[in-house]
Amino acid sequence: MALASGNAHTLALTESGKVFAWGQNRQGRLGSPEGLDEDGAPLIRVASPVEVVGLPGDAQVVAVSAPTLTSHAVMSDGRVFGWSEGKSGQLLRGEDIGDGTFSPASESVSSPVELVGLPDNVIDVKGGARWAATLTADGDV
């Protein structure tokens, strides 16, 4: 079990590995269709916990992180999923320029996406205002 709080949203990891979210849902921080209005736009605030939808069922969530504007979940097999704002690269989505630089995608993601390109033995993720870092079982950051 774990609890993580961001700027205005909270994630709760249950013993069974489910993740629930509540609070401000700007940019889709809650990762749930229950946090959307009838038109599919994110609700400003969700006072009751809603289950995060879209995390894979083939591994259990072992850690959550709710940095300022993004949400992350670490799976028991070392994969990391994220959702919400990614315009600074927190979701590892965008274009590899090819010269060692990266141009992050500007759109927010309202359901979990796998962060590709990370080591396969991640055990934790932390973040802040527009950044994220992972810790591997080997102690690498």
Side-chain angles (χ1 to χ4, degrees):
M1 297 187 325
L3 195 63
S5 294
N7 187 35
H9 73 295
T10 300
L11 299 178
L13 173 60
T14 67
E15 274 188 70
S16 65
K18 291 185 179 186
V19 180
F20 291 87
W22 63 94
Q24 192 180 82
N25 195 32
R26 293 178 194 251
Q27 295 94 19
R29 288 178 214 168
L30 304 184
S32 174
E34 292 181 53
L36 304 176
D37 67 16
E38 295 170 355
D39 298 325
L43 295 169
I44 300 289
R45 288 184 182 83
V46 176
S48 298
V50 294
E51 186 174 355
V52 173
V53 176
L55 292 167
D58 61 346
Q60 189 168 0
V61 178
V62 295
V64 292
S65 178
T68 307
L69 302 172
T70 310
S71 299
H72 295 102
V74 178
M75 309 304 293
S76 58
D77 60 7
R79 291 179 294 164
V80 179
F81 287 78
W83 58 98
S84 192
E85 183 184 283
K87 69 182 180 184
S88 294
Q90 313 92 303
L91 300 178
L92 298 180
R93 296 171 56 98
E95 181 182 351
D96 182 355
I97 304 301
D99 61 358
T101 61
F102 176 80
S103 177
S106 60
E107 73 275 355
S108 296
V109 178
S110 60
S111 60
V113 294
E114 186 172 356
L115 278 63
V116 296
L118 293 174
D120 61 2
N121 61 343
V122 173
I123 59 170
D124 202 4
V125 61
K126 298 294 183 209
R130 297 185 171 94
W131 64 270
T134 59
L135 175 68
T136 68
D138 301 327
D140 294 329
V141 176

